Amino acid sequence: MTEETPGFDEKPDVPSDAAAPDDAAQGAGSADKAGPAPAGDANQDAGLVAQLDQVRTALNERTADLQRLQAEYQNYRRRVERDRVTVKEIAAANLLSELLPVLDDIGRAREHGELVGGFKSVGESVETVVAKLGLQQFGKEGEPFDPTIHEALMHSYAPDVTETTCVAILQPGYRIGERTIRPARVAVAEPQPGAQPGKAEEKSSDEESGGPDEG
């Protein structure tokens, strides 16, 4: 019986993670070839950064132009709307100014009790229509005189007023919005020349109390 002796042709156990000599040599060669990054890459990066800055600058300029155009467009729309309202008011004022004598006749008929029957219905319809068009009547007795909206046709003095006051409305005024079509024609009264309200009130108070105390 012969004993078997291990042959020399068997390969020794080698750890699996051990690199072959040829592989190690190739890895070293690759590392040598990689080496430091060339200077051309740095220049290319700098060029890209410069281009990006240019694009950002151009974008900011275009954004500012767009915002300016939007602001100009909004201003244009506001001007058009304002002009449209103004033209509408002027057209309505020109039309309604021709109807003011009719409105005056209706007002006088109402004051004299003559606005009755069919004439009353017609007069009220006319007043309703002009009110829908924006016509407003103004002018009341007792309000302070304002030369911008009142036209004084009569003048007098009165002891019971402290400033120039409208004491009678001869013809009412009319306006559309802020536009005055016709000022209110009024009679005004001014305080008596040289009158002092403080002394007048003191005199009235003395009369009510029976006069000043006698020493």
Side-chain angles (χ1 to χ4, degrees), residues 32-47:
D32 293 339
K33 290 180 181 179
D41 293 343
N43 295 334
Q44 185 177 4
D45 292 343

Side-chain angles (χ1 to χ4, degrees), residues 13 30 70 83 127 133 182 186 204:
D13 295 336
S30 300
Q70 287 179 340
D83 293 343
E127 292 175 337
L133 293 175
R182 186 183 74 184
V186 300
S204 176

Side-chain angles (χ1 to χ4, degrees), residues 121-191:
S121 178
V122 173
E124 292 177 349
S125 297
V126 172
E127 292 175 337
T128 301
V129 170
V130 296
K132 288 182 179 180
L133 293 175
L135 186 67
Q136 298 176 350
Q137 186 182 102
F138 66 90
K140 294 181 180 180
E141 294 182 6
E143 64 185 7
F145 176 75
D146 184 352
T148 61
I149 60 174
H150 297 137
E151 180 182 354
L153 300 182
M154 298 178 64
H155 177 270
S156 62
Y157 295 97
D160 56 345
V161 297
T162 58
E163 59 180 341
T164 305
T165 305
C166 301
V167 293
I169 306 299
L170 307 179
Q171 277 186 332
Y174 290 96
R175 67 164 65 96
I176 294 180
E178 300 298 326
R179 184 184 300 273
T180 300
I181 298 179
R182 186 183 74 184
R185 292 165 180 170
V186 300
V188 300
E190 291 183 313

